[in-house]
Amino acid sequence: MAATSGVHDLSSEMEVDAFRRLFPLRFHERHLLESIRPDGGLLEKLETQPLCLTMLAAIKMEVMTPTVEAPEEGCIGLNKCLSGMIDLKELCLVGGKAAWMVYLDIYCLDADGALFDAALLSAVAAFSHCKFATVQIPVVSLNDDGRIVLVSEDNGGAKKEKEPVNKDKRKLKLNSVPFSLTCILHKDYILADPTSEEESIMETYLTVVLDSSFQLVSFNKPGGPGLANTSAIQKPTDLVTAELDSGDCVTLTRQRVKELQKILNETISDMEVD
Amino acid sequence: MAGKSSATPETYSPSLTGQRKKRPPILTDSDWVRPDGRSLHQCRPAFLRTGAVNSASGSAYAEFGNTKVIVSVFGPRESKKAMMYSDTGRLNCNVSYTAFATRFEDRAPETKDLSSMLHKALEGAIILKSFPKTTVDVFALVLESGGSDLPVITTCASLALADAGIMLYDMVASVSVSSLGKNILIDPVSEEESYQDGSLMITCMPSRNEVTQMTVTGDWSTPKINEAMQLCVDACSKLGKIMRLCLKEAATAPQD
């Protein structure tokens, strides 16, 4: 990840690295002036995969007794943006007695900026994976003492009286799937999908979450010295003729949603084949 | 949404009724058939890769059958925990399991014990004098536990240390065996470990023919222990060669 840039004509690479560490803000500002990033990428080019950032998401499902207020619904351990994606009624097993509780665990294996984007993407991917035939919700039935037990295929005739409770609900149906993009605002520049080095220097960042029909799910700007005026967020252009290089956050997010959807679908269909 | 999640409801995982896993009766004159079809003295094929984590000084990923471990090494670096000056380096080990690493029925693994055992296994192999006043942190994360966890963790940690450029006397390879009835099984899986009468784990430096750690539990007779030790040491030397091959490949791979 050594920084090479055609703009600087410093004598040797060592100097560039030293300059980068001693005066990080000026280093990045000089790049911004020339509209490129230190690793050669364009300012608004979205990396199809975040640079060197790895996250692992896993879903565990256990059985719980549903709450009194919502006897027909299951529960998702981590709500945030996912509540629109899964209809909680899908998770119900036996009304009033048992429902699935979904635990979502996300582990960051290698961190290089824009953690929320990667976390959301991996969570969405885990749920999509759940949807297809490779991982299925196990068939369960209600035992005599009110507990849910697994139904195994080789159980013999004696246990057939217990009706499987969820034979036809073995896959999770996903509604609109959310995708997100984090951008950094620095003076007049917008930097999409920042690395952790860029994030630590420039303090204003905002996260836009759109779902697959490009509706706004969430918009989060946690403070920071820069102001998010309308032109940065969404230029008032005609949607029909929206130019892709107009450089505002929502348009960038829209592009990102298209890319991510394509990648996710490709990956899942690859998995289905094997 | 906020109101509903005020109290975390009690959950349990659905399991087969009345089917508690009982140890199959092992007659004294019959052999144990391994669930994955290996012979008694055959280890699982190893998949080793260094450089898995970019933000760490060194890292490695190891997969032995269903046991998957990723280890990151940070350092040598300054540590707030070190109160006193020391003219040798310090080693700090931490082992943790992901929430989904073990199956529901198994009890939670003793990560504190594993961390201290990893420390004992590695400290004999690291040249601590080469980084005085600083600390090397080793973080191991078990992604999936399929049996024989600590040997895989130790092997992977040694690869990660080598990847980080920490000076070592030799690579550290580790193998465990289980005693089951009259058989000795090498590199057991979780099912075999749950039925075992005794276990023996050896961590050694193959090229130097030195053992850094040996752990024996359970029921052993003297001839059996000798046989088990010999098995382990042979397997460790083979594993050591595989580890060196992995490092060589990583070093000669085209630089990007």
Side-chain angles (χ1 to χ4, degrees):
Chain A
M1 294 231 288
T4 54
S5 75
V7 182
H8 294 270
D9 49 8
L10 296 169
S11 41
S12 68
E13 259 199 18
M14 280 305 292
E15 271 202 69
V16 177
D17 275 342
F19 186 72
R20 184 182 196 152
R21 273 179 214 274
L22 293 171
F23 308 107
L25 200 52
R26 274 167 44 193
F27 177 79
H28 283 94
E29 280 187 355
R30 287 219 32 197
H31 284 88
L32 288 175
L33 280 175
E34 311 286 337
S35 289
I36 62 167
R37 300 173 87 156
D39 55 4
L42 297 173
L43 255 191
E44 287 146 9
K45 172 171 171 263
L46 304 171
E47 305 291 327
T48 42
Q49 277 151 358
L51 296 162
C52 316
L53 173 55
T54 321
M55 289 232 181
L56 183 65
I59 293 187
K60 254 184 4 179
M61 297 177 93
E62 292 191 345
V63 184
M64 69 169 210
T65 333
T67 57
V68 179
E69 301 107 56
E72 294 288 321
E73 293 187 356
C75 184
I76 302 185
L78 172 81
N79 279 327
K80 270 227 157 165
C81 306
L82 297 176
S83 44
M85 185 169 78
I86 294 191
D87 185 3
L88 291 179
K89 295 201 171 30
E90 292 279 316
L91 298 174
C92 176
L93 281 171
V94 177
K97 290 226 187 94
W100 288 113
M101 166 94 159
V102 178
Y103 289 104
L104 177 65
D105 300 298
I106 303 183
Y107 287 89
C108 180
L109 300 175
D110 189 4
D112 190 22
L115 292 177
F116 178 77
D117 293 348
L120 185 61
L121 181 61
S122 61
V124 158
F127 275 108
S128 309
H129 185 218
C130 221
K131 172 173 145 188
F132 289 96
T134 31
V135 174
Q136 281 190 335
I137 305 175
V139 180
V140 295
S141 70
L142 195 58
N143 203 356
D144 299 323
D145 50 4
R147 284 177 73 91
I148 298 279
V149 295
L150 274 181
V151 172
S152 73
E153 294 82 26
D154 47 35
N155 233 350
K159 305 250 167 81
K160 281 277 168 64
E161 306 108 41
K162 299 208 188 75
E163 282 296 312
V165 158
N166 62 347
K167 248 208 277 208
D168 37 338
K169 278 204 267 178
R170 297 191 61 185
K171 294 184 197 167
L172 280 178
K173 271 208 289 269
L174 299 181
N175 299 331
S176 50
V177 176
F179 295 101
S180 78
L181 177 67
T182 307
C183 306
I184 284 192
L185 301 177
H186 181 69
K187 298 192 188 167
D188 288 327
Y189 303 103
I190 299 180
L191 218 65
D193 198 19
T195 64
S196 53
E197 196 186 343
E198 291 165 352
E199 259 184 4
S200 58
I201 308 171
M202 302 179 224
E203 297 154 349
T204 316
Y205 56 94
L206 58 87
T207 306
V208 180
V209 182
L210 295 180
D211 70 13
S212 40
S213 45
F214 303 118
Q215 305 276 337
L216 184 68
V217 173
S218 112
F219 185 92
N220 182 27
K221 179 180 181 295
L227 287 177
N229 44 17
T230 345
S231 59
I233 302 174
Q234 169 125 59
K235 291 219 177 93
T237 54
D238 189 353
L239 275 178
V240 174
T241 58
E243 300 187 2
L244 286 180
D245 57 354
S246 59
D248 60 30
C249 296
V250 176
T251 316
L252 289 172
T253 316
R254 228 179 270 149
Q255 261 179 288
R256 171 71 122 181
V257 168
K258 289 192 205 134
E259 283 173 11
L260 290 179
Q261 260 180 328
K262 207 169 67 139
I263 296 178
L264 196 61
N265 289 335
E266 273 171 11
T267 322
I268 297 212
S269 55
D270 281 345
M271 291 198 64
E272 262 189 2
V273 169
D274 6 277
Chain B
M1 278 298 155
K4 283 185 206 145
S5 51
S6 47
T8 329
E10 280 287 314
T11 63
Y12 59 89
S13 87
S15 56
L16 298 164
T17 33
Q19 292 215 14
R20 221 151 283 140
K21 278 269 174 100
K22 266 198 294 247
R23 175 178 156 153
I26 297 178
L27 309 168
T28 43
D29 55 353
S30 72
D31 276 338
W32 168 261
V33 173
R34 304 192 79 166
D36 51 359
R38 284 184 281 152
S39 76
L40 298 180
H41 294 178
Q42 188 184 351
C43 288
R44 293 174 288 192
F47 175 80
L48 304 165
R49 191 55 49 92
T50 54
V53 176
N54 289 81
S55 49
S57 315
S59 60
Y61 172 72
E63 211 175 285
F64 282 63
N66 275 338
T67 305
K68 303 178 174 88
V69 179
I70 188 169
V71 177
S72 321
V73 169
F74 294 91
R77 63 180 180 181
E78 187 193 307
S79 161
K80 304 289 186 304
K81 279 196 263 186
M83 294 282 106
M84 299 177 341
Y85 169 86
S86 81
D87 53 0
T88 58
R90 288 178 65 245
L91 174 68
N92 175 39
C93 293
N94 191 291
V95 176
S96 55
Y97 276 66
T98 56
F100 42 84
T102 55
R103 299 172 49 76
F104 292 121
E105 305 95 64
D106 296 346
R107 42 187 170 71
E110 325 262 324
T111 57
K112 213 154 173 259
D113 285 347
L114 290 173
S115 304
S116 76
M117 287 175 76
L118 179 64
H119 187 282
K120 292 199 187 85
L122 293 176
E123 67 179 347
I126 300 181
I127 306 183
L128 292 169
K129 296 197 295 278
S130 66
F131 49 95
K133 299 185 276 185
T134 50
T135 303
V136 165
D137 291 312
V138 176
F139 295 104
L141 179 65
V142 179
L143 302 171
E144 192 180 340
S145 156
S148 201
D149 293 344
L150 187 57
V152 177
I153 296 174
T154 313
T155 309
C156 192
S158 149
L159 264 181
L161 285 167
D163 186 49
I166 310 282
M167 293 188 71
L168 304 168
Y169 289 110
D170 187 13
M171 299 301 299
V172 178
S174 176
V175 172
S176 73
V177 297
S178 275
S179 147
L180 209 69
K182 70 176 181 115
N183 298 130
I184 295 181
L185 316 168
I186 202 168
D187 203 11
V189 291
S190 320
E191 191 191 341
E192 293 164 346
E193 274 181 342
S194 62
Y195 301 149
Q196 68 188 5
D197 297 319
S199 84
L200 183 143
M201 179 187 86
I202 284 199
T203 309
C204 74
M205 298 194 275
S207 318
R208 302 188 117 217
N209 226 8
E210 288 176 2
V211 172
T212 63
Q213 185 185 51
M214 177 166 132
T215 309
V216 183
T217 67
D219 208 354
W220 290 93
S221 63
T222 317
K224 259 194 164 177
I225 276 209
N226 288 328
E227 190 192 338
M229 279 169 54
Q230 196 52 49
L231 265 177
C232 277
V233 171
D234 291 338
C236 280
S237 65
K238 291 202 191 100
L239 190 54
K241 292 201 185 82
I242 298 177
M243 290 163 76
R244 282 174 188 272
L245 206 62
C246 166
L247 286 173
K248 267 197 208 132
E249 276 173 12
T252 56
Q255 306 284 345
D256 46 295

